[in-house]
Amino acid sequence: MRNTWTALLACILVLGLAAGTAEAKQGRGNGQENKQEAKASDKDRNEKSNKKDKHDEIKKNTPVAVTDDTYGESKDHKGHNGHNGHNGHNGYNGLLQAVENTKDKPAGAVIANLLLTKYPDRLTSEQVAELELIRNSDKALTKAAELLDKNGNVTDAVYMQEEAVLADVSNLDSYKKLDVFSRKAGRSSGMKLFVNGEKYDAKPINRNGTTLVSFRTASEALNAKVSWDPKEKAVTVSRNGVSVKLFVNSAKAYINGQPYSIEQPASIVDGTTMVPLRVIGEALGANVKWEPESQSVVVYEQSTISEAL
């Protein structure tokens, strides 16, 4: 799993790009104002110059920086839980208010991270849980990926969207977005296998509407134990007290000893034993989905979804 800090730093990069665009627009606006000022009388210009000098003098004598004034602490006041600091629209309360207004935006992930790292002792367990969700929100990460792509950083957009996939492995739209960015970045297309948000290099194959993967890939992806019986030409996959036995070129399978009919049997392709993923995955308690636009086979487990909520 890619480090979440990479995603947060990319979010900050996105915010910087957006701020740069805003400053550029503001700069163009200031240019127009300067043209208008050039037409003003000498008296007006002198008055504006005097006001600016007074403002600069006041600013110079002010020891607190803008960021400190917004998010910093004051030693002259006692804040929440006996901590030094002022609240109001500044500091801890200011961040709480800001994160409420930016939950589904890239800034929300950054602000949530600030709260979790700078003020952990002031947060309730409920607030921590909510902020963790915002920090890892797939919606916020996808929007950040779109901004990166818009600013020409396609490779970073791919990495960001991979984080969005991991944030909610059951959201099939995230896999579609990832495929779009990957194509732009020149990455190979075709069928892909994702298990709990992680992409596997071993490509699956489609046979008459059934997805087949190598039995070694199935065992690694689902953390299952696999055994091969050369006499019976049978593969047995087992995990958590559940076993699935498949026979090469046979439409019959056994799940915990009970016989079942399957649409597509296991087969040997180029010397590799390929097994039907859906049969094994669902028998072992996983969800197996097919996302047609990106040609992605998506496997995820309910325990993974519960842990993210």
Side-chain angles (χ1 to χ4, degrees), residues 199-274:
K199 183 181 177 183
Y200 281 76
D201 292 332
K203 288 190 175 182
I205 63 173
N206 187 304
R207 178 165 292 176
N208 299 323
T210 298
T211 300
L212 301 178
V213 298
S214 73
F215 76 92
R216 292 190 183 278
T217 299
S219 64
E220 178 185 352
L222 296 170
N223 195 26
K225 185 178 180 181
V226 176
S227 61
W228 166 253
D229 187 333
K231 291 185 179 180
E232 290 187 306
K233 289 188 177 181
V235 177
T236 301
V237 183
S238 58
R239 189 188 70 169
N240 297 333
V242 178
S243 66
V244 183
K245 189 174 184 179
L246 304 167
F247 298 86
V248 172
N249 299 326
S250 173
K252 184 175 290 186
Y254 290 86
I255 301 176
N256 283 349
Q258 297 296 316
Y260 288 87
S261 295
I262 57 178
E263 294 182 1
Q264 188 66 37
S267 61
I268 297 177
V269 180
D270 297 329
T272 300
T273 303
M274 307 292 287

Side-chain angles (χ1 to χ4, degrees), residues 116-297:
L116 288 166
T117 55
K118 191 170 184 179
Y119 302 101
D121 55 334
R122 299 195 189 186
L123 299 170
T124 65
S125 57
E126 291 80 7
Q127 285 176 321
V128 170
E130 183 180 0
L131 289 170
E132 288 284 1
L133 285 176
I134 295 172
R135 182 167 68 175
N136 300 306
S137 167
D138 62 315
K139 291 181 180 179
L141 294 169
T142 293
K143 288 185 179 181
E146 290 172 348
L147 283 173
L148 285 166
D149 175 50
K150 186 177 180 181
N151 283 278
N153 302 310
V154 182
T155 301
D156 290 335
V158 172
Y159 293 146
M160 180 67 72
Q161 190 59 32
E162 287 175 347
E163 292 290 336
V165 167
L166 290 170
D168 184 356
V169 296
S170 66
N171 185 358
L172 297 184
D173 287 336
S174 286
Y175 297 90
K176 285 193 279 188
K177 274 284 186 184
L178 178 58
D179 183 61
V180 171
F181 296 140
S182 296
R183 288 173 183 271
K184 283 187 176 183
R187 298 192 178 185
S188 60
S189 57
M191 286 187 67
K192 297 168 283 293
L193 172 64
F194 292 88
V195 180
N196 292 328
E198 295 283 357
K199 183 181 177 183
Y200 281 76
D201 292 332
K203 288 190 175 182
I205 63 173
N206 187 304
R207 178 165 292 176
N208 299 323
T210 298
T211 300
L212 301 178
V213 298
S214 73
F215 76 92
R216 292 190 183 278
T217 299
S219 64
E220 178 185 352
L222 296 170
N223 195 26
K225 185 178 180 181
V226 176
S227 61
W228 166 253
D229 187 333
K231 291 185 179 180
E232 290 187 306
K233 289 188 177 181
V235 177
T236 301
V237 183
S238 58
R239 189 188 70 169
N240 297 333
V242 178
S243 66
V244 183
K245 189 174 184 179
L246 304 167
F247 298 86
V248 172
N249 299 326
S250 173
K252 184 175 290 186
Y254 290 86
I255 301 176
N256 283 349
Q258 297 296 316
Y260 288 87
S261 295
I262 57 178
E263 294 182 1
Q264 188 66 37
S267 61
I268 297 177
V269 180
D270 297 329
T272 300
T273 303
M274 307 292 287
V275 295
L277 181 60
R278 184 177 295 277
V279 173
I280 294 175
E282 292 182 349
L284 297 180
N287 296 280
V288 182
K289 305 291 182 182
W290 167 249
E291 202 299 292
E293 289 187 29
S294 61
Q295 292 189 308
S296 298
V297 182

Side-chain angles (χ1 to χ4, degrees), residues 55-71:
H55 175 74
D56 290 342
E57 184 179 354
I58 294 172
K59 185 176 180 181
K60 182 179 179 181
N61 294 328
T62 303
V64 181
V66 174
T67 51
D68 291 334
D69 183 57
T70 304
Y71 301 118

